[in-house]
Amino acid sequence: MAPNGTPRPGDPDDLPDTPGRPEGPDRPGDADRPGDADRPGDAHRPGEPGRAEDAGRPDRPGDGDGAAEGHPLDPAERQEYQRLRRAAAVRHRRLRTTGASVLLVLALLLAPFAVVAAWVDSQISDSARYVQTVAPLATEPPVQNAVTDRLTHRVVSNVDVDAITSSLAKALQKAGAPPVVVDHTPALDGPLKSAMTSAVHKVVSEVVTSDQFAEVWDAANRRAHAAVVKVLTGQGNSAIQARGNTVVLDIGTVVDNVKQRLVNAGYAKVAKFPQVDRTIPLLKVDKLQQAQGLMRLLNVLGTWLPVVVLVLAALGIWAAPAHRLALMATAIGTGVMMAVLLIALAVLRGVYLDSVPPSTLPENAAATIFDTLVRFLRQSARTVLVVAVITALASYLYGPGRGAVAVRSAATRGTGALGRASARQGLRTGALGHWLSAHRGWTTGVVIAGGALALVLWNYPTPGAVALVLGIVVLVLVLLGVLAGAADRPGPAPPGGGERRAAPGAG
C-alpha cells in the first residue's frame, strides 16, 4: 500500500474475492485501509440495499464499527446473494408481464368498440361522409323498385275507382245509353284500376330512375343530416325519424314531384288527392330506445375511445419484457378482434333481414339498405385487419427466427448486389452510401414510422390505401438498400497482382 493509503497494483487488496482469502482480523491492513467499503464485492455498495441475511447477525470477533460493512462475501454468501437477485428479477419480470397482459387485453377487448365508435362519430359529425353513405341507395335497383311500387300503391289506393264508375254510369244513363251498358259499368272497376296502376307505375318509375331523383335524394339527405343525430341521440329535427321501434325516411319531396308529373301527364285530379303517407321504413328494431342509448354513448366516446385503445396498447407493449413479441401478440389479437367484428356484422345482417316483414320491405331491398349503411364500418374493420396482419408480419421479420433471418439476408444480398452493380457502372454513392449502410436500422425505422404516420393522417384509409403506403415503404427501403450497396468498395485485384486503382472521380 502506498504511503497515502492508496493500494498499489498487485497488493492483496486489489485482488478479487476468492475462496480461501483471509478475512476479518487476519487480513493485513484491514483496520486502517480507507475506502474499503466501496471495493467491488463488498456487502454494502453505494446505493445498494443491505443483504437480508446480514440483518441481526452478530458482528464477527474482532470487527470494528465499520468492519461488518467492509466484510467480503464468502462463496456461500455470494451464491445466496445471486439467488436473491435472480428471484427479485423473476418477480419483477412477472409483474411486468402481468401488467402488460392486463393492458393489452383491455386494448384488444375495446378495439371493436373503438372502430364502431369512430364510425358512428364520422356519420354524425361529417355531413359529407353521411351523404356518401346513403347516396348509393338512390341508384340501387332493389331500392328503386321498392320505392316505385310503394309510391304507385299509395297513389292508386287514394283513387276512388267505384266513384269513377258510378259517375260514368250516371253519365251514360243521362245520355240514354242502353240499360245493359249502364248496368255493366261497375265491371270496369278492375280494368280501370289496372290501367291506372300501369300508368302511374310508369310515371313513378321514370321519376325514381332519373338522375333528378338521385340529385333530390342527395340534397334531401344533406339537408336532413340532422336525422342521424335525432335517430342516434334523440336530438334535432330531420327527415329520418324514429317512430316507435321503426326508423323511417320522409320522402315528401319525391311525392310532390310525382304528383306534379302526374298532373302534367293529364291526371289533373291527382292534385286534389289527400296527403299520402310520405315515409318509408328503413329499420325496424325491437329495442330502439336501448339502441339509441348505446349509440349516444358511442357518440360521446367516438373521439376518445380509439385514443384510449392506442394508449393502452402502447403502454402494454412498453411494459412487456419482450417488446417485439408483445407487438406481435397485439397485432394478432387486433386482427382476431376485427374478424370477430366482421362476423358479428354478418350475424346482425341476418337478424335484421329476419326482423323486416316482406310486406314492409322486400328482402333484397332490405339487404341492400343494410349493406349500404354499414359498408364504411366493414371497410374500417377490414383496414384495421390488414394493418394488423402487416404489423404482425413485420414484427416476425425483425425477430431471430430462421425464416425471418433468411428473408432479411436475402433482402440484404439482393439490394447489395444491385448497389454493387450500380457502382460498377459508375453510379457510386460514396459517403452517403457509407452513412446509409452504417445507419441502416435507424433509416429503416424512420421510413416505417413515416408510413405509419401517413396512415394516421389519411382521411378514412381503406385497404387499398394501406397497400399503397406499404408499397411505397418497401420501395423506399429497397432504394435505400441499393444506395447503401453502391458505396465505394475496393474492387477485385486485376490480373498480374496489385490493387485496382480507383476510377477517377470515385467517391
Side-chain angles (χ1 to χ4, degrees), residues 416 419-420 423 428 433-434 437 440 482-492 500:
R420 290 189 292 273
R428 296 180 175 87
H434 287 297
S437 180
R440 188 184 299 269
V482 173
L483 293 176
D488 292 335
R489 289 184 174 85
R500 187 176 63 184

Side-chain angles (χ1 to χ4, degrees), residues 189-398:
D189 287 355
L192 182 60
K193 190 172 185 177
S194 177
M196 183 176 297
T197 300
S198 177
V200 172
H201 188 277
K202 180 180 179 181
V203 174
V204 174
S205 180
E206 291 177 354
V207 173
V208 173
T209 57
S210 65
D211 295 338
Q212 182 183 6
F213 177 75
E215 295 174 359
V216 170
W217 178 274
D218 291 348
N221 279 281
R222 193 176 301 277
R223 291 191 305 265
H225 176 250
V228 180
V229 178
K230 181 171 184 177
V231 172
L232 297 180
T233 65
Q235 301 174 358
N237 298 315
S238 62
I240 297 182
Q241 303 172 1
R243 295 186 177 180
N245 291 330
T246 305
V247 180
V248 298
L249 172 65
D250 187 350
I251 56 172
T253 304
V254 178
V255 173
D256 294 338
N257 188 280
V258 170
K259 288 177 65 175
Q260 187 60 41
R261 287 287 191 95
L262 292 173
V263 171
N264 295 339
Y267 298 92
K269 291 188 177 181
V270 173
K272 301 180 181 180
F273 287 171
Q275 294 291 340
V276 298
D277 188 1
R278 295 166 172 248
T279 61
I280 294 179
L282 297 179
L283 302 171
K284 189 171 184 179
V285 185
D286 292 336
K287 298 181 179 180
L288 181 59
Q289 293 181 351
Q290 289 85 338
Q292 287 175 336
L294 178 60
M295 290 299 103
R296 284 194 292 269
L297 177 61
L298 291 176
N299 179 30
V300 174
L301 299 177
T303 302
W304 294 107
L305 188 56
V307 176
V308 170
V309 170
L310 291 177
V311 170
L312 288 175
L315 290 177
I317 295 171
W318 173 79
H323 303 314
R324 184 186 63 83
L325 294 179
L327 178 60
M328 184 186 301
T330 303
I332 295 174
T334 302
V336 171
M337 297 308 294
M338 292 303 103
V340 170
L341 176 58
L342 292 173
I343 294 174
L345 287 176
V347 174
L348 182 61
R349 183 180 188 270
V351 173
Y352 161 69
L353 294 179
D354 292 339
S355 66
V356 179
S359 58
T360 302
L361 202 63
E363 183 176 356
N364 58 350
T368 301
I369 291 174
F370 182 88
D371 293 338
T372 301
L373 292 179
V374 303
R375 77 182 190 280
F376 285 133
L377 178 56
R378 283 199 183 109
Q379 179 177 281
S380 299
R382 290 167 181 162
T383 301
V384 177
L385 176 60
V386 171
V387 172
V389 171
I390 294 174
T391 303
L393 182 60
S395 302
Y396 169 76
L397 292 178
Y398 264 86

Side-chain angles (χ1 to χ4, degrees), residues 447-457 469 473:
V447 173
I448 294 177
L453 181 62
L455 288 179
V456 171
L457 298 179
V469 172
V473 168

Side-chain angles (χ1 to χ4, degrees), residues 143-163:
V143 178
Q144 291 178 337
N145 294 335
V147 173
T148 300
D149 293 342
R150 186 172 296 275
L151 288 178
T152 300
H153 174 73
R154 289 176 180 175
V155 170
V156 174
S157 63
N158 280 276
V159 178
D160 191 350
V161 180
D162 294 336

Side-chain angles (χ1 to χ4, degrees), residues 167-191:
S167 299
L168 179 59
K170 292 179 181 179
L172 291 174
Q173 187 176 10
K174 290 182 180 179
V180 65
V181 174
V182 176
D183 294 340
H184 286 81
T185 300
L188 296 175
D189 287 355

